[in-house]
Amino acid sequence: MADHSDQQLSAREMVRAHTYPLLAAISTISLLAITVLLIPQAVKTHRYNRCIDAQVQMRVAVNPQGATSPGKLNYLKAVEHCEGR
């Protein structure tokens, strides 16, 4: 370490001097790993939301009453379609 360059450190002082940087490195690596592991779930959820939006828009467009709100039945049918049921 720069501030201890001219003196000998005891074992306890060595541990204290290196513990914080080591724990910071471990936590940084852990956060990066968590981020990488969450990417597939985020992509899947984004695609699912796009599918729901597209299905609701199609069902509203086909609706013979000309309603502008999707309604619960249209939403449930969109969910069924996007979940593959």
Side-chain angles (χ1 to χ4, degrees):
M1 311 268 328
D3 53 344
H4 298 291
S5 59
D6 294 338
Q7 60 182 342
Q8 289 287 349
L9 294 177
S10 67
R12 180 174 293 197
E13 290 170 339
M14 268 301 231
V15 168
R16 287 182 181 162
H18 293 91
T19 300
Y20 179 77
L22 178 67
L23 290 176
I26 290 172
S27 65
T28 301
I29 292 170
S30 297
L31 287 173
L32 287 173
I34 290 169
T35 302
V36 168
L37 291 173
L38 284 175
I39 289 173
Q41 181 179 356
V43 168
K44 178 183 174 190
T45 304
H46 178 69
R47 289 180 181 161
Y48 178 79
N49 287 338
R50 282 192 345 202
C51 177
I52 293 288
D53 290 341
Q55 287 296 314
V56 166
Q57 290 300 323
M58 285 188 337
R59 291 175 194 282
V60 166
V62 173
N63 191 358
Q65 293 132 358
T68 56
S69 63
K72 190 168 188 170
L73 184 60
N74 283 344
Y75 179 75
L76 293 175
K77 289 291 188 182
V79 169
E80 281 183 1
H81 173 80
C82 293
E83 288 181 354
R85 289 192 240 162

